[in-house]
Amino acid sequence: MPAILTIRDLRKSYSGGFEALKGVTLDIEEGEILALLGPNGAGKTTLISTICGIITPSSGSVTVGGHDIINDFRAARSLIGLVPQEINLEPFETVWNTVRFSRGLFGKSRNDALIEDILRKLSLWDKRKNRIMELSGGMKRRVLIAKALSHEPRVLFLDEPTAGVDVELRKDMWNIVAELKATGVTIILTTHYIEEAEAIADRVGVINAGALLLVEEKENLMTRMGKKQLEVQLSAPVAALPEELAHHDLQLANGGGALIYTYDTRGERTGITALLNDVAQAGLVLADVQTRQSSLEDIFVDLVSGDAA
Amino acid sequence: MNWTAVASIYRFEMARFFRTLMQSFMSPVLSTSLYFVVFGAAIGSRIDQVEGIDYGAFIVPGLIMLSVMTQAISNASFGIYFPKFIGTIYELLSAPVNFLEIVLGYVGAAATKALFIGVVILATASLFVDLTIAHPIAMVLFMLLTCLSFALLGFIIGIWAGNFEQLQLVPLMIVTPLVFLGGSFYSISMLPPIWQKITLFNPVVYLISGFRWAFFDTADVPVGLSLMAIGGFTVACMAVIWWIFKTGWRIRS
Ligand SMILES: Nc1ncnc2c1ncn2[C@@H]1O[C@H](COP(=O)(O)OP(=O)(O)O)[C@@H](O)[C@H]1O
Ligand SMILES: [Mg+2]
């Protein structure tokens, strides 16, 4: 797959001298969903805004569909749709006019059927004649999404699209993202919600203090970095860990009714066989066994705190 | 050129105007009528004629210019300041449009609104006084150029302004005095000689003089000079706007 977006050593220093991007290099493949995870102030919005033309980069280069975002900004920006983090909308205008305006602004000819379709998918059709100021926060967020989709972008940026929105919208959002992906749209989203990255992303990038710490296939990331837990449920609780198990990294849980064994999937051997042997040696009877994979959240917290140290 | 974008911006801006059409229409009608009552009836009964023209008619070009200039500035400055203020400017900055297209859309709409008001005032005035226009084409040209150039100035003010007070400041503190002192309601020749000289530094004098010439075929300064003044002013505003977008001054960090 060719890269639809290439970012090369992108730097941004704000006028006060603060360096918000410290040389970001990244290729994004056509049709993938990339989630950018990072704490507040990491530079996610700065990165997106620079690619979209809202902020001037200090150095480095970006191409979209092979078009440089500065020298060939028209071609580059024509491919991009942006759903900004802040809800910025003209309060006195109607939903319909606002969305139609966006399509025209991007030079696309009028297509009412398409806009109707987008508004219906976002449950905005009934509100099309309402003025923006009459809508709830969640509805306004939907309008922002409709505006970005109205000009049929090939690359869609969603800057914290589900921050502070209801569960319903989050689900709708994920459905829309899945649908767009099916039509080949490339999606870059930033999020605080790690479950979101986990649920919909193909790749995950972790950004902190203006630097991209890593970009990985989500699956790889989780298996490579992930710790797993094995929970052994006993048919009869024990008061303390038996002697035979002392050398294993074990915790008692469930009032002595379960043993929890934490191991690293990156390790040469997991030690599970030895553990289970020793459990049998100690005369304990197993009722059930289950494993749990650690979430992206654990990985993320590990990475960011490791970086700060 | 992305003409679709220009048309979209223009239409979006005009929608704001049509939402308040009654207000947009009534306020110039009312203020023009008041001017005629105050200046025309009260002062006109003492002045009678200026340069062989009925005073009531004499003030019409100045009245139109006063409104057209302030309307062009306030519409254009608000038009671009508002997206900055509420944050919707992100969309303009990320759209495949260049500065010329943005300016055409916003300034075009502001100039149209100012033109509409100019025409309403002209129509209202003709109810009060007999008007014959000596050079109709020149009249339209002056009016169009004034709408355009002052809308450009308003656009610059809107980008410069950091808050609503600043947005009001330039029109109130600079433009209105210049227009009042620019011979809107009197002829330069009525001033003492020293003020006749000083007043020539006021750019608005050239516009009003040219516009009045189009109506009555008499002017304070040569018409060619008037045209050059307004042409030069338009070009200067365009140059400033070009620089603003090139450097991103006050719009792009
Ligand atoms: N216009 C600006 N001027 C100066 N500093 C800014 C500006 N915008 C953002 N920053 C700073 O840049 C850093 C990154 O901000 P941002 O990109 O918004 O982070 P994120 O979106 O990841 O929360 C923050 O420390 C923020 O304070
Ligand atoms: Mg942000």
Side-chain angles (χ1 to χ4, degrees):
Chain A
M1 275 283 204
I4 192 159
L5 189 74
T6 67
I7 304 169
R8 290 286 169 273
D9 198 25
L10 192 67
R11 287 167 194 279
K12 174 62 190 179
S13 299
Y14 282 110
S15 49
F18 179 77
E19 196 175 26
L21 293 178
K22 297 172 181 158
V24 172
T25 295
L26 174 65
D27 279 347
I28 296 170
E29 284 173 14
E30 181 150 22
E32 76 169 325
I33 300 179
L34 178 85
L36 279 175
L37 280 176
N40 258 326
K44 303 181 296 291
T45 300
T46 304
L47 178 61
I48 288 183
S49 303
T50 309
I51 297 168
C52 294
I54 298 162
I55 290 175
T56 320
S58 303
S59 69
S61 67
V62 179
T63 67
V64 184
H67 309 287
D68 186 89
I69 56 159
I70 294 181
N71 298 326
D72 200 2
F73 74 91
R74 250 189 230 278
R77 290 185 200 167
S78 299
L79 300 173
I80 297 178
L82 167 64
V83 180
Q85 182 176 357
E86 306 289 334
I87 296 183
N88 303 317
L89 289 164
E90 157 97 44
F92 307 112
E93 216 16 285
T94 63
V95 171
W96 177 265
N97 284 346
T98 306
V99 175
R100 209 184 109 184
F101 169 73
S102 297
R103 182 172 173 83
L105 189 63
F106 276 70
K108 296 272 162 61
S109 61
R110 186 171 171 169
N111 185 344
D112 290 354
L114 177 92
I115 293 180
E116 176 173 345
D117 189 45
I118 291 170
L119 291 184
R120 283 189 188 280
K121 270 185 198 141
L122 285 161
S123 315
L124 280 171
W125 181 245
D126 294 340
K127 305 271 183 203
R128 67 190 180 281
K129 289 176 183 155
N130 284 68
R131 293 194 289 173
I132 305 279
M133 58 193 281
E134 299 159 4
L135 304 183
S136 68
M139 281 290 170
K140 286 180 187 154
R141 175 95 40 201
R142 287 169 195 256
V143 175
L144 284 178
I145 298 169
K147 278 164 78 73
L149 296 182
S150 71
H151 45 84
E152 303 165 86
R154 299 302 300 154
V155 181
L156 181 67
F157 290 93
L158 299 159
D159 198 356
E160 305 205 19
T162 53
V165 306
D166 49 85
V167 181
E168 203 181 329
L169 173 53
R170 220 200 279 192
K171 277 203 198 120
D172 280 4
M173 266 270 322
W174 292 4
N175 286 338
I176 289 166
V177 165
E179 232 176 90
L180 287 170
K181 182 184 158 70
T183 64
V185 175
T186 308
I187 294 156
I188 295 106
L189 69 106
T190 71
T191 179
H192 271 131
Y193 298 104
I194 288 158
E195 318 86 75
E196 190 158 72
E198 217 163 339
I200 59 178
D202 298 317
R203 281 201 302 164
V204 177
V206 177
I207 182 171
N208 190 39
L212 205 54
L213 301 182
L214 70 87
V215 187
E216 278 258 353
E217 298 290 326
K218 182 182 65 186
E219 306 300 334
N220 287 356
L221 183 66
M222 287 172 53
T223 39
R224 189 169 72 86
M225 303 280 298
K227 291 205 169 78
K228 267 193 157 181
Q229 287 188 329
L230 175 73
E231 185 175 329
V232 179
Q233 275 163 20
L234 305 173
S235 48
V238 292
L241 271 181
E243 278 282 304
E244 291 89 338
L245 300 177
H247 62 287
H248 291 290
D249 180 15
L250 278 179
Q251 281 172 303
L252 267 183
N254 238 354
L259 304 173
I260 296 188
Y261 175 59
T262 306
Y263 61 99
D264 199 329
T265 51
R266 283 172 296 177
E268 283 263 301
R269 49 187 68 210
T270 58
I272 293 175
T273 320
L275 173 71
L276 292 182
N277 276 334
D278 291 345
V279 168
Q281 287 279 305
L284 301 177
V285 181
L286 307 190
D288 197 3
V289 171
Q290 68 182 53
T291 62
R292 273 198 301 267
Q293 178 124 34
S294 67
S295 68
L296 263 177
E297 179 145 19
D298 306 326
I299 299 171
F300 175 66
V301 169
D302 272 1
L303 263 175
V304 171
S305 59
D307 183 61
Chain B
M1 283 295 278
N2 184 347
W3 288 109
T4 316
V6 176
S8 293
I9 296 173
Y10 183 85
R11 205 179 314 110
F12 200 73
E13 282 301 295
M14 290 307 286
R16 201 198 322 275
F17 181 62
F18 287 119
R19 273 198 298 269
T20 55
L21 189 62
M22 213 43 209
Q23 186 189 327
S24 314
F25 179 78
M26 283 315 291
S27 91
V29 170
L30 191 68
S31 63
T32 310
S33 307
L34 282 174
Y35 272 111
F36 275 104
V37 171
V38 175
F39 285 87
I43 302 176
S45 64
R46 286 153 204 255
I47 300 184
D48 196 25
Q49 286 207 331
V50 178
E51 296 176 347
I53 304 154
D54 268 352
Y55 186 69
F58 180 83
I59 64 170
V60 171
L63 259 185
I64 294 175
M65 277 295 186
L66 175 64
S67 292
V68 161
M69 286 173 187
T70 46
Q71 286 289 330
I73 288 181
S74 65
N75 282 316
S77 60
F78 185 78
I80 191 66
Y81 177 75
F82 196 56
K84 242 179 40 165
F85 180 68
I86 61 174
T88 52
I89 196 159
Y90 85 86
E91 203 176 19
L92 283 178
L93 297 178
S94 61
V97 292
N98 64 15
F99 94 97
L100 197 63
E101 289 147 0
I102 294 178
V103 169
L104 272 178
Y106 279 99
V107 168
T112 307
K113 297 173 201 175
L115 184 67
F116 169 84
I117 286 168
V119 171
V120 168
I121 293 176
L122 183 60
T124 311
S126 66
L127 299 177
F128 288 88
V129 290
D130 271 342
L131 277 176
T132 44
I133 300 169
H135 309 282
I137 294 172
M139 193 278 282
V140 171
L141 185 71
F142 267 110
M143 188 124 108
L144 283 178
L145 272 174
T146 307
C147 290
L148 177 69
S149 58
F150 278 74
L152 287 169
L153 177 64
F155 189 86
I156 297 170
I157 293 169
I159 285 181
W160 162 79
N163 54 47
F164 277 100
E165 284 74 42
Q166 291 180 343
L167 201 62
Q168 307 287 350
L169 201 69
V170 174
L172 197 70
M173 302 296 286
I174 301 173
V175 179
T176 308
L178 284 183
V179 176
F180 268 93
L181 301 174
S184 306
F185 302 111
Y186 55 88
S187 163
I188 303 297
S189 60
M190 294 159 78
L191 296 174
I194 171 75
W195 280 103
Q196 290 191 22
K197 289 259 160 34
I198 293 172
T199 215
L200 290 179
F201 290 99
N202 179 355
V204 177
V205 165
Y206 299 86
L207 305 187
I208 292 181
S209 167
F211 197 48
R212 190 174 287 137
W213 170 85
F215 275 82
F216 309 121
D217 204 19
T218 71
D220 289 332
V221 295
V223 178
L225 210 55
S226 292
L227 263 180
M228 272 168 58
I230 193 162
F233 181 56
T234 309
V235 171
C237 287
M238 280 304 286
V240 171
I241 293 173
W242 173 81
W243 172 85
I244 286 174
F245 277 88
K246 194 173 147 61
T247 60
W249 182 71
R250 298 224 170 185
I251 45 174
R252 203 178 247 129
S253 50

Short mmCIF file of all heavy atoms in Angstrom, two decimals, chain B residues 101-132:
data_model
loop_
_atom_site.label_atom_id
_atom_site.label_comp_id
_atom_site.label_asym_id
_atom_site.label_seq_id
_atom_site.Cartn_x
_atom_site.Cartn_y
_atom_site.Cartn_z
N GLU B 101 -9.47 34.40 -3.21
CA GLU B 101 -10.83 33.84 -3.18
C GLU B 101 -11.55 34.18 -1.88
O GLU B 101 -12.74 34.51 -1.88
CB GLU B 101 -10.75 32.32 -3.38
CG GLU B 101 -10.35 31.95 -4.80
CD GLU B 101 -9.53 30.68 -4.92
OE1 GLU B 101 -9.24 30.05 -3.89
OE2 GLU B 101 -9.16 30.33 -6.05
N ILE B 102 -10.81 34.12 -0.78
CA ILE B 102 -11.41 34.49 0.51
C ILE B 102 -11.83 35.95 0.49
O ILE B 102 -12.94 36.32 0.87
CB ILE B 102 -10.40 34.24 1.66
CG1 ILE B 102 -10.12 32.73 1.78
CG2 ILE B 102 -10.93 34.79 2.98
CD1 ILE B 102 -9.11 32.38 2.85
N VAL B 103 -10.92 36.80 -0.02
CA VAL B 103 -11.21 38.23 -0.05
C VAL B 103 -12.39 38.52 -0.98
O VAL B 103 -13.29 39.28 -0.63
CB VAL B 103 -9.95 39.01 -0.50
CG1 VAL B 103 -10.30 40.46 -0.80
CG2 VAL B 103 -8.88 38.93 0.57
N LEU B 104 -12.39 37.90 -2.13
CA LEU B 104 -13.49 38.13 -3.07
C LEU B 104 -14.84 37.79 -2.43
O LEU B 104 -15.81 38.54 -2.57
CB LEU B 104 -13.30 37.27 -4.33
CG LEU B 104 -12.48 37.89 -5.45
CD1 LEU B 104 -12.33 36.90 -6.60
CD2 LEU B 104 -13.12 39.18 -5.95
N GLY B 105 -14.88 36.68 -1.73
CA GLY B 105 -16.12 36.25 -1.09
C GLY B 105 -16.57 37.22 -0.01
O GLY B 105 -17.69 37.72 -0.05
N TYR B 106 -15.68 37.49 0.92
CA TYR B 106 -16.06 38.35 2.06
C TYR B 106 -16.24 39.80 1.67
O TYR B 106 -17.23 40.44 2.02
CB TYR B 106 -15.01 38.24 3.18
CG TYR B 106 -15.20 37.02 4.02
CD1 TYR B 106 -14.45 35.87 3.81
CD2 TYR B 106 -16.17 36.98 5.01
CE1 TYR B 106 -14.64 34.72 4.56
CE2 TYR B 106 -16.38 35.85 5.77
CZ TYR B 106 -15.61 34.72 5.54
OH TYR B 106 -15.83 33.60 6.27
N VAL B 107 -15.25 40.31 0.92
CA VAL B 107 -15.30 41.72 0.55
C VAL B 107 -16.43 41.95 -0.47
O VAL B 107 -17.13 42.96 -0.41
CB VAL B 107 -13.93 42.16 0.00
CG1 VAL B 107 -14.03 43.52 -0.68
CG2 VAL B 107 -12.92 42.21 1.13
N GLY B 108 -16.61 40.98 -1.36
CA GLY B 108 -17.69 41.09 -2.34
C GLY B 108 -19.04 41.21 -1.63
O GLY B 108 -19.87 42.06 -1.99
N ALA B 109 -19.25 40.38 -0.62
CA ALA B 109 -20.53 40.41 0.09
C ALA B 109 -20.68 41.74 0.84
O ALA B 109 -21.75 42.36 0.80
CB ALA B 109 -20.62 39.24 1.06
N ALA B 110 -19.63 42.16 1.51
CA ALA B 110 -19.71 43.43 2.27
C ALA B 110 -19.96 44.60 1.33
O ALA B 110 -20.76 45.49 1.63
CB ALA B 110 -18.42 43.64 3.06
N ALA B 111 -19.30 44.59 0.17
CA ALA B 111 -19.48 45.67 -0.80
C ALA B 111 -20.90 45.66 -1.34
O ALA B 111 -21.51 46.72 -1.54
CB ALA B 111 -18.46 45.54 -1.93
N THR B 112 -21.44 44.47 -1.55
CA THR B 112 -22.82 44.37 -2.04
C THR B 112 -23.80 44.98 -1.04
O THR B 112 -24.71 45.72 -1.42
CB THR B 112 -23.20 42.90 -2.28
OG1 THR B 112 -22.21 42.30 -3.11
CG2 THR B 112 -24.56 42.79 -2.94
N LYS B 113 -23.61 44.66 0.23
CA LYS B 113 -24.49 45.21 1.25
C LYS B 113 -24.40 46.73 1.29
O LYS B 113 -25.41 47.43 1.38
CB LYS B 113 -24.12 44.66 2.63
CG LYS B 113 -24.29 43.15 2.74
CD LYS B 113 -23.74 42.66 4.07
CE LYS B 113 -23.43 41.18 4.02
NZ LYS B 113 -22.79 40.70 5.25
N ALA B 114 -23.17 47.24 1.21
CA ALA B 114 -22.98 48.69 1.23
C ALA B 114 -23.63 49.33 0.02
O ALA B 114 -24.28 50.38 0.12
CB ALA B 114 -21.49 49.02 1.28
N LEU B 115 -23.50 48.67 -1.11
CA LEU B 115 -24.09 49.18 -2.35
C LEU B 115 -25.61 49.24 -2.21
O LEU B 115 -26.25 50.22 -2.58
CB LEU B 115 -23.69 48.27 -3.51
CG LEU B 115 -24.15 48.74 -4.89
CD1 LEU B 115 -23.43 50.02 -5.27
CD2 LEU B 115 -23.88 47.66 -5.94
N PHE B 116 -26.17 48.17 -1.64
CA PHE B 116 -27.62 48.12 -1.44
C PHE B 116 -28.07 49.32 -0.61
O PHE B 116 -29.06 49.98 -0.92
CB PHE B 116 -27.97 46.80 -0.74
CG PHE B 116 -29.38 46.71 -0.23
CD1 PHE B 116 -30.42 46.33 -1.07
CD2 PHE B 116 -29.68 47.01 1.10
CE1 PHE B 116 -31.72 46.25 -0.62
CE2 PHE B 116 -30.98 46.93 1.57
CZ PHE B 116 -32.01 46.55 0.71
N ILE B 117 -27.33 49.59 0.44
CA ILE B 117 -27.70 50.70 1.31
C ILE B 117 -27.54 52.04 0.61
O ILE B 117 -28.38 52.93 0.75
CB ILE B 117 -26.91 50.61 2.63
CG1 ILE B 117 -27.52 49.46 3.42
CG2 ILE B 117 -26.96 51.91 3.41
CD1 ILE B 117 -26.77 49.01 4.59
N GLY B 118 -26.47 52.15 -0.19
CA GLY B 118 -26.27 53.37 -0.97
C GLY B 118 -27.46 53.62 -1.90
O GLY B 118 -27.95 54.75 -2.01
N VAL B 119 -27.94 52.56 -2.52
CA VAL B 119 -29.06 52.70 -3.45
C VAL B 119 -30.34 53.08 -2.70
O VAL B 119 -31.12 53.92 -3.15
CB VAL B 119 -29.25 51.39 -4.26
CG1 VAL B 119 -30.55 51.43 -5.06
CG2 VAL B 119 -28.06 51.17 -5.18
N VAL B 120 -30.53 52.46 -1.52
CA VAL B 120 -31.71 52.79 -0.71
C VAL B 120 -31.69 54.27 -0.32
O VAL B 120 -32.71 54.96 -0.38
CB VAL B 120 -31.77 51.90 0.56
CG1 VAL B 120 -32.82 52.43 1.54
CG2 VAL B 120 -32.09 50.46 0.18
N ILE B 121 -30.52 54.77 0.04
CA ILE B 121 -30.41 56.17 0.44
C ILE B 121 -30.69 57.09 -0.74
O ILE B 121 -31.42 58.08 -0.63
CB ILE B 121 -29.02 56.46 1.05
CG1 ILE B 121 -28.90 55.70 2.37
CG2 ILE B 121 -28.82 57.95 1.26
CD1 ILE B 121 -27.55 55.82 3.01
N LEU B 122 -30.13 56.71 -1.88
CA LEU B 122 -30.35 57.51 -3.09
C LEU B 122 -31.85 57.58 -3.38
O LEU B 122 -32.40 58.65 -3.68
CB LEU B 122 -29.58 56.89 -4.26
CG LEU B 122 -29.65 57.63 -5.60
CD1 LEU B 122 -29.08 59.04 -5.45
CD2 LEU B 122 -28.89 56.87 -6.68
N ALA B 123 -32.51 56.45 -3.27
CA ALA B 123 -33.95 56.39 -3.55
C ALA B 123 -34.73 57.22 -2.54
O ALA B 123 -35.64 57.98 -2.91
CB ALA B 123 -34.43 54.94 -3.54
N THR B 124 -34.34 57.07 -1.25
CA THR B 124 -35.03 57.85 -0.21
C THR B 124 -34.84 59.35 -0.45
O THR B 124 -35.79 60.14 -0.36
CB THR B 124 -34.47 57.50 1.19
OG1 THR B 124 -34.45 56.08 1.31
CG2 THR B 124 -35.33 58.10 2.28
N ALA B 125 -33.59 59.72 -0.78
CA ALA B 125 -33.27 61.14 -0.98
C ALA B 125 -34.09 61.71 -2.12
O ALA B 125 -34.55 62.87 -2.05
CB ALA B 125 -31.78 61.30 -1.26
N SER B 126 -34.28 60.91 -3.16
CA SER B 126 -35.00 61.44 -4.33
C SER B 126 -36.47 61.70 -4.01
O SER B 126 -37.18 62.35 -4.77
CB SER B 126 -34.86 60.48 -5.52
OG SER B 126 -35.50 59.28 -5.23
N LEU B 127 -36.93 61.17 -2.86
CA LEU B 127 -38.29 61.51 -2.41
C LEU B 127 -38.33 62.91 -1.83
O LEU B 127 -39.37 63.57 -1.81
CB LEU B 127 -38.77 60.51 -1.36
CG LEU B 127 -38.86 59.04 -1.76
CD1 LEU B 127 -39.28 58.19 -0.58
CD2 LEU B 127 -39.83 58.86 -2.93
N PHE B 128 -37.19 63.38 -1.32
CA PHE B 128 -37.15 64.68 -0.66
C PHE B 128 -36.73 65.81 -1.60
O PHE B 128 -37.15 66.94 -1.43
CB PHE B 128 -36.18 64.65 0.52
CG PHE B 128 -36.69 63.87 1.70
CD1 PHE B 128 -36.47 62.51 1.81
CD2 PHE B 128 -37.41 64.51 2.72
CE1 PHE B 128 -36.94 61.79 2.88
CE2 PHE B 128 -37.89 63.79 3.79
CZ PHE B 128 -37.66 62.42 3.88
N VAL B 129 -35.81 65.51 -2.52
CA VAL B 129 -35.28 66.58 -3.39
C VAL B 129 -35.29 66.13 -4.85
O VAL B 129 -35.33 64.94 -5.14
CB VAL B 129 -33.82 66.94 -3.01
CG1 VAL B 129 -33.78 67.66 -1.68
CG2 VAL B 129 -32.94 65.71 -3.00
N ASP B 130 -35.25 67.11 -5.73
CA ASP B 130 -35.12 66.82 -7.16
C ASP B 130 -33.68 66.50 -7.47
O ASP B 130 -32.79 67.27 -7.16
CB ASP B 130 -35.53 68.06 -7.98
CG ASP B 130 -37.02 68.04 -8.27
OD1 ASP B 130 -37.62 66.94 -8.14
OD2 ASP B 130 -37.58 69.10 -8.60
N LEU B 131 -33.44 65.34 -8.05
CA LEU B 131 -32.07 64.95 -8.36
C LEU B 131 -31.95 64.65 -9.84
O LEU B 131 -32.72 63.86 -10.38
CB LEU B 131 -31.68 63.69 -7.58
CG LEU B 131 -31.20 63.84 -6.13
CD1 LEU B 131 -30.97 62.46 -5.54
CD2 LEU B 131 -29.93 64.67 -6.07
N THR B 132 -30.97 65.29 -10.49
CA THR B 132 -30.60 64.82 -11.82
C THR B 132 -29.13 64.47 -11.76
O THR B 132 -28.34 65.20 -11.16
CB THR B 132 -30.82 65.90 -12.90
OG1 THR B 132 -30.31 67.14 -12.40
CG2 THR B 132 -32.28 66.04 -13.26
#
